[in-house]
Amino acid sequence: MTQAPLRDRYAGLRADLCAASAAALLVLVAVLVGRHIQDTRRTLFVHWPPLFADWDPHVGPGTPAAVLVAVAVVAYGPTVAARLPWRGLLPAAWAAALAWTWSLALVDGWQRGVAGRLTTRNEYLTVIGRFHDLPAALRGFTHHIVSGSPHPWPAHIAGHPPAATVTFVLLDRAGLRGGGWAGAWCVTVGATACVAVLVAVRALADERLARRAAPFLVLAPAAVWVGASADGYFAAVAAWSVALLALAVTGRSVAWAAGSGLLYGLTCYLSYGLALFALIGAAVLVAGRHRGHTRPVLAVLFVAGAAVVPTAFTLAGFDWWEGYRLLVTRYYQGVGGIRPYGYWVWANLACTVLVTGLATAAGLRRTATPLARHRAAPSAESRLALLVAAALVALLAADLSGMSKAETERIWLPFAMWLLPACALLPRPRVWLTAQATLALLLNHLLLTGW
């Protein structure tokens, strides 16, 4: 190897370490400043800022499995991802993500880590009994959003369109009752998000980058919050919407566009803020032009699919826009109106570092150069960078809106999944995977996360 490439290689490594160090410093400052604000003013309403968590060093039944999965993925993940046939890699990635998420959740034990997550006073299962007449509940849904209205919804129900709650109502009616089944649903479906991202990256960039990203998607610190929160389920629905659009745009079949639209419509009725996934969809259209072409029928099929869920809920009596307007009122009636924007607007980004890991910070640095060259010299790396950049822009838009102050380690899981593929651009993947796994294990064993 000549001296110049060697020098460039070490310069790149130093820049990666600087990016990761800057991200770690952001977290440290958020912890120290947040601790000071909470101790002196009591306005953050979190016990371990910037995370919604409590300091609680502990081990649990999931600890040995979590360590074993981490060691296995670090040691063999990059090699297996490079060698497995593509059709084998996808179920293997899902299985590994399931093992990682389940083991982390079970560090807190079955009841505290899974079965009890969705049964607390602000969660979805507490209102199942109020949906015995589903049409009537949907017609009157907006009447209970604002605090002070008759029988106001708990925070999570009021804070989301009704498709989120209806999901758990339907699980209950199917006989899958209680927090255990609800938690299992969120973990099982949520773990498929990594597969959806791999499908999209392969379609829009290339298979090599998708394979390099696979171990990072499996071993993401985000799994701490996917197991078991409804936002993990939301992340999977949104991810598959993007993946199907990528397949449609790159010429697989325009029929995928209808499925993408259907899931995008559902995404918007699971969480108001996930309407911002339209930005990631726009990036898919731009990045996908190299392998296919956008035909009018694709747009028609997408719009037709996207109209299904909104039409169904509108006919049932729920007005999305009215719901969002009332949510803004409810948000500022509660702690959202007290939490200081000046802290959370940057501390939320520290939460994102903890969800995506230091490797993602280094990977984001590596996307800058190919992104800048995309127009002049499109490449697989630049198309990947475009997809990641769109997710980052959507996340920043959510941040600047002021409607996401705290708990973003959970709320922003759908956006975080699309930042992780930036790690495909990193050299020495095992070193960075070790950092990712170590962060997740420390978070889950030192803190008790909650929402």
Side-chain angles (χ1 to χ4, degrees):
M1 182 178 292
T2 62
Q3 193 171 9
L6 186 62
R7 189 165 55 246
D8 292 344
R9 183 176 178 180
Y10 282 112
L13 178 59
R14 283 195 300 271
D16 290 341
L17 292 175
C18 286
S21 298
L25 181 61
L26 176 65
V27 173
L28 177 61
V29 173
V31 170
L32 296 177
V33 173
R35 186 73 272 157
H36 174 73
I37 294 174
Q38 183 61 12
D39 288 344
T40 57
R41 303 178 191 174
R42 305 286 180 183
T43 57
L44 298 188
F45 297 94
V46 294
H47 297 154
W48 204 88
L51 298 178
F52 194 87
D54 291 287
W55 179 258
D56 182 21
H58 63 285
V59 295
T63 297
V67 173
L68 182 62
V69 172
V71 170
V73 175
V74 170
Y76 303 107
T79 302
V80 170
R83 295 180 180 176
L84 266 184
W86 179 254
R87 289 189 177 182
L89 176 60
L90 295 181
W94 183 33
L98 273 174
W100 179 235
T101 307
W102 271 113
S103 60
L104 288 174
L106 291 173
V107 168
D108 296 332
W110 170 253
Q111 182 60 36
R112 191 166 71 166
V114 180
R117 290 289 192 181
L118 294 164
T119 61
T120 57
R121 64 187 182 89
N122 286 321
E123 282 287 0
Y124 300 96
L125 296 193
T126 60
V127 300
I128 295 294
R130 293 174 62 178
F131 280 76
H132 62 275
D133 185 343
L134 189 55
L138 292 176
R139 285 194 302 272
F141 191 87
T142 57
H143 299 160
H144 308 288
I145 293 177
V146 176
S147 294
S149 60
H151 308 294
W153 298 121
H156 288 191
I157 293 82
H160 295 80
T165 307
V166 168
T167 297
F168 297 103
V169 171
L170 294 179
L171 283 176
D172 182 81
R173 292 189 178 180
L176 305 179
R177 298 183 177 89
W181 283 112
W185 167 267
C186 293
V187 172
T188 304
V189 176
T192 69
C194 82
V195 180
V197 176
L198 290 177
V199 169
V201 171
R202 180 177 184 252
L204 296 170
D206 63 19
E207 189 171 312
R208 174 183 60 88
L209 288 173
R211 289 178 178 274
R212 287 183 62 84
F216 290 97
L217 286 159
V218 165
L219 213 57
V224 171
W225 292 274
V226 172
S229 76
D231 295 86
Y233 156 52
F234 303 164
V237 175
W240 280 109
S241 173
V242 174
L244 296 186
L245 182 61
L247 292 177
V249 169
T250 54
R252 268 63 174 186
S253 170
V254 292
W256 290 118
S260 173
L262 179 65
L263 291 180
Y264 177 70
L266 176 58
T267 297
C268 293
Y269 276 71
L270 290 171
S271 176
Y272 294 104
L274 296 187
L276 288 169
F277 257 74
L279 296 173
I280 303 177
V284 169
L285 296 178
V286 174
R289 290 182 300 182
H290 76 291
R291 299 184 67 175
H293 54 278
T294 54
R295 288 168 279 182
V297 67
L298 188 151
V300 171
L301 288 172
F302 179 86
V303 171
V308 172
V309 172
T311 299
F313 276 96
T314 301
L315 291 176
F318 172 72
D319 184 334
W320 192 95
W321 293 103
E322 176 70 2
Y324 180 72
R325 184 186 68 79
L326 293 171
L327 167 62
V328 173
T329 300
R330 168 72 177 262
Y331 185 78
Y332 285 100
Q333 285 178 325
V335 297
I338 301 172
R339 285 172 169 159
Y341 181 86
Y343 171 76
W344 288 111
V345 74
W346 59 271
N348 285 337
L349 303 181
C351 292
T352 305
V353 171
L354 294 172
V355 172
T356 59
L358 299 180
T360 303
L364 287 173
R365 184 205 72 81
R366 291 215 170 226
T367 64
T369 299
L371 184 63
R373 296 175 179 171
H374 177 73
R375 201 177 250 275
S379 64
E381 287 77 9
S382 71
R383 291 188 292 271
L384 174 64
L386 183 64
L387 188 63
V388 170
L392 184 58
V393 169
L395 185 149
L396 291 175
D399 190 29
L400 294 172
S401 73
M403 289 295 289
S404 296
K405 296 197 287 286
E407 302 179 61
T408 53
E409 64 271 16
R410 168 184 59 83
I411 297 168
W412 288 354
L413 281 175
F415 303 119
M417 296 303 300
W418 293 95
L419 301 180
L420 293 165
C423 297
L425 303 177
L426 293 171
R428 301 178 180 272
R430 286 184 177 85
V431 174
W432 291 108
L433 282 168
T434 301
Q436 297 289 87
T438 302
L439 174 61
L441 291 170
L442 287 174
L443 286 170
N444 219 56
H445 285 83
L446 294 178
L447 301 174
L448 178 63
T449 57
W451 36 84

